[in-house]
C-alpha cells in the first residue's frame, strides 16, 4: 500500500492532465503547486496486492467460499474515513453542507463519514450544520457497468438549489455514474458541489473523471463488502473483499 499526498506529475492512473513534458513548459511553479493542492490525496492499493488471507479476519460463513481475499479491512476503511472527514470540514467548514448519499452502495461509507463529521462538529470551536439527502442510482448488471445510469428513487434534487452539496459515493469506475449525477445536479443550480468517493478503480475504462476526495485507489477487480454489492449480495460483509470468479457465476442474474 502506498499513500499519494497528491498525484505527482508522473503518477499512474486516470487523469486529464497533459503529459509531463508538456506540463513543464506550460506551468509556472505556482500553477503546479495550485494544481497539486487541488488534486485529491488517496491511499493506493497496488495492482499486485493480493490482499489478506480470509482466515485472518471474521467473514460471514455464507460468504467464505465466495471471496478471494480481504483487500481493505474495516478498521482501515474507518481510519481513512476519519481523515477524509477532517479534510472535508477544513475545506467546506463554516457553511451548511447537504450530504447526498448515493444509494445503496454508499450507505455504509456515508453513515461512518457523517459520524466522523459530527464528532468534529462536537469537539471544535468551528462547526458545520449538516443535513442529509438520498438518491438511488442504478448502472450495474452483474459485474459490468452499463452506459445507462438511471435515477430510481430518492429525494427531489430541486431541493438542492443554492446549497453546498457533498455527494458521497462508494466507488468510481468508468466515472459515468458520477458524471451523469453531476449533470443532473447542475440543472438545479447548487451553490457548490464536491464529491467524495471511498474508492476509485484504476481502469482503462475510466472517462478520466476524478472526485474531489478519494479514500483509496484500487486495482481493476470486482470488489464487494462494506455495502458494495454483487447483484445485491455481500452488503452484509464488513471488509472490502475481492469477489471470486466462481461467485460471479453463482450469483449471476
Ligand atoms: P461507474 O459509473 O462505472 O463509475 O460505476 C459506478 C458504480 O458502479 C458504483 O457506484 C457502484 O455502484 C458500481 N461499481 C463499480 N465497480 C464496482 C465494484 O467493484 N463493486 C461493486 N460495485 C461497483
Ligand atoms: Mg455507487
Amino acid at each position: 500500500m502506498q499513500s499519494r499526498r497528491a498525484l505527482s506529475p508522473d503518477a499512474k492512473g486516470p487523469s486529464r492532465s497533459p503529459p509531463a513534458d508538456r506540463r513543464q513548459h506550460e506551468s509556472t511553479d505556482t500553477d503546479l503547486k495550485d494544481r497539486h493542492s487541488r488534486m485529491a490525496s488517496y491511499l493506493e492499493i497496488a495492482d499486485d496486492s493480493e490482499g489478506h488471507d480470509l482466515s485472518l479476519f471474521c467473514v460471514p460463513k455464507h460468504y467464505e467460499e465466495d471471496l478471494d481475499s480481504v483487500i481493505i479491512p474495516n478498521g482501515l476503511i474507518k481510519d481513512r474515513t476519519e481523515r477524509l472527514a477532517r479534510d472535508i470540514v477544513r475545506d467546506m467548514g463554516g457553511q451548511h453542507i447537504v450530504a447526498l448519499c448515493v444509494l445503496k452502495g454508499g450507505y455504509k461509507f456515508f453513515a461512518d463519514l457523517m459520524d466522523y463529521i459530527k464528532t468534529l462538529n462536537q469537539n471544535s470551536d468551528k462547526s458545520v450544520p449538516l443535513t442529509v439527502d438520498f438518491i438511488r442510482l442504478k448502472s450495474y448488471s452483474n459485474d459490468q457497468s452499463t452506459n445507462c445510469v438511471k435515477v430510481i428513487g430518492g429525494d427531489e434534487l430541486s431541493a438542492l438549489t443554492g446549497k453546498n452539496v457533498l455527494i458521497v459515493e462508494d466507488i468510481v469506475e468508468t466515472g459515468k455514474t458520477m458524471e451523469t449525477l453531476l449533470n443532473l445536479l447542475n440543472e438545479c443550480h447548487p451553490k457548490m458541489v464536491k464529491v467524495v468517493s471511498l474508492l476509485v478503480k484504476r481502469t482503462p475504462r475510466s472517462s478520466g473523471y476524478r472526485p474531489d476526495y478519494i479514500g483509496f485507489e484500487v486495482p481493476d477487480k470486482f470488489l464487494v463488502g462494506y455495502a458494495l454489492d454483487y447483484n445485491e449480495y455481500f452488503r452484509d460483509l464488513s471488509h472490502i473483499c475481492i469477489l471470486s470468479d466462481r461467485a460471479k457465476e453463482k450469483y449471476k442474474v
Side-chain angles (χ1 to χ4, degrees):
M1 257 176 249
Q2 277 191 354
S3 61
R4 298 265 175 196
R5 267 278 336 124
L7 275 179
S8 61
D10 56 354
K12 35 182 183 155
S15 150
R16 286 201 170 111
S17 309
D21 55 339
R22 241 174 65 207
R23 272 204 309 269
Q24 271 175 5
H25 297 297
E26 283 174 5
S27 312
T28 63
D29 277 359
T30 323
D31 286 344
L32 263 179
K33 269 188 209 136
D34 256 21
R35 184 161 48 222
H36 283 197
S37 65
R38 272 185 275 118
M39 283 176 176
S41 310
Y42 53 86
L43 209 155
E44 180 181 303
I45 310 219
D47 284 337
D48 58 2
S49 163
E50 285 172 10
H52 310 285
D53 197 296
L54 281 180
S55 65
L56 298 171
F57 291 88
C58 294
V59 169
K61 196 109 201 102
H62 54 274
Y63 291 144
E64 266 176 3
E65 306 294 309
D66 302 327
L67 306 166
D68 281 344
S69 63
V70 173
I71 190 154
I72 316 177
N74 186 270
L76 184 56
I77 301 171
K78 297 245 175 78
D79 291 337
R80 180 75 191 113
T81 303
E82 184 178 17
R83 180 54 200 246
L84 287 171
R86 199 170 105 181
D87 292 348
I88 290 165
V89 169
R90 179 199 61 207
D91 298 347
M92 298 183 84
Q95 28 195 354
H96 172 191
I97 301 176
V98 183
L100 178 65
C101 174
V102 183
L103 294 171
K104 297 179 186 174
Y107 94 87
K108 274 298 295 167
F109 176 48
F110 181 81
D112 286 335
L113 185 69
M114 292 308 108
D115 278 351
Y116 284 120
I117 295 180
K118 271 182 348 201
T119 303
L120 287 171
N121 270 342
Q122 281 159 200
N123 294 297
S124 69
D125 297 333
K126 239 172 79 178
S127 69
V128 270
L130 192 64
T131 54
V132 295
D133 260 334
F134 297 88
I135 188 164
R136 187 151 175 225
L137 302 177
K138 201 162 178 67
S139 63
Y140 242 71
S141 177
N142 294 318
D143 63 344
Q144 295 299 312
S145 182
T146 65
N147 277 327
C148 173
V149 181
K150 279 197 212 127
V151 177
I152 56 168
D155 294 313
E156 283 295 325
L157 289 180
S158 55
L160 302 175
T161 304
K163 302 278 170 53
N164 298 302
V165 182
L166 175 71
I167 300 177
V168 183
E169 172 67 305
D170 54 353
I171 182 165
V172 169
E173 185 181 356
T174 62
K176 279 181 207 133
T177 302
M178 201 39 67
E179 286 175 332
T180 307
L181 178 56
L182 286 170
N183 285 337
L184 278 174
L185 198 53
N186 281 334
E187 286 171 15
C188 303
H189 306 290
K191 187 169 160 201
M192 174 174 52
V193 181
K194 297 272 182 194
V195 177
V196 56
S197 183
L198 177 64
L199 310 173
V200 169
K201 219 179 255 190
R202 264 188 316 278
T203 169
R205 297 181 300 286
S206 166
S207 67
Y209 169 76
R210 301 288 288 188
D212 301 288
Y213 303 94
I214 300 170
F216 302 84
E217 199 188 70
V218 293
D220 194 1
K221 296 185 174 144
F222 200 82
L223 306 180
V224 291
Y226 195 69
L228 280 89
D229 73 312
Y230 178 77
N231 295 332
E232 296 301 328
Y233 289 92
F234 304 98
R235 297 199 202 271
D236 56 333
L237 167 67
S238 301
H239 314 291
I240 296 180
C241 298
I242 302 178
L243 189 68
S244 72
D245 289 338
R246 217 174 43 172
K248 286 183 193 167
E249 278 306 310
K250 180 170 157 191
Y251 296 96
K252 205 174 190 139
V253 289

